[in-house]
Amino acid sequence: MAESPDFSVFKTVFFYSILILLLPISAFFVCKVIVFDSIIGTNNTTSNVSAAIVSVIVLHFALGLFIFRAYSDPEKGRIDKKDDKID
């Protein structure tokens, strides 16, 4: 069964929306709790700021992936307009 172009676009946008939402949040807490608090042992304010910086970098990476996908996708799902000329 073939997918409709609208559903394919919905799946792509939904995937990247979840990626853009969950990846920075999980990166913040993983970096804060595991890396900065446990391994490095920084104080609370420093670990929060450092984890926020990592989270912003991860967010930009996820947004970059979405933009790359949007621009590199080959005109998929678009209808070509054909002009009929009468001679």
Side-chain angles (χ1 to χ4, degrees), residues 16-80:
Y16 283 106
S17 297
I18 295 299
L19 188 73
I20 289 168
L21 181 67
L22 293 182
L23 204 59
I25 293 171
S26 60
F28 176 83
F29 287 109
V30 166
C31 285
K32 179 182 174 8
V33 172
I34 295 175
V35 176
F36 296 118
D37 286 345
S38 299
I39 295 174
I40 298 176
T42 58
N43 64 12
N44 196 26
T45 304
T46 305
S47 67
N48 283 338
V49 170
S50 301
I53 291 170
V54 171
S55 177
V56 168
I57 291 170
V58 169
L59 173 65
H60 281 84
F61 177 72
L63 285 171
L65 284 177
F66 176 69
I67 292 170
F68 177 75
R69 170 69 190 256
Y71 278 109
S72 67
D73 200 20
E75 301 299 320
K76 184 177 170 185
R78 293 192 182 194
I79 300 172
D80 293 333

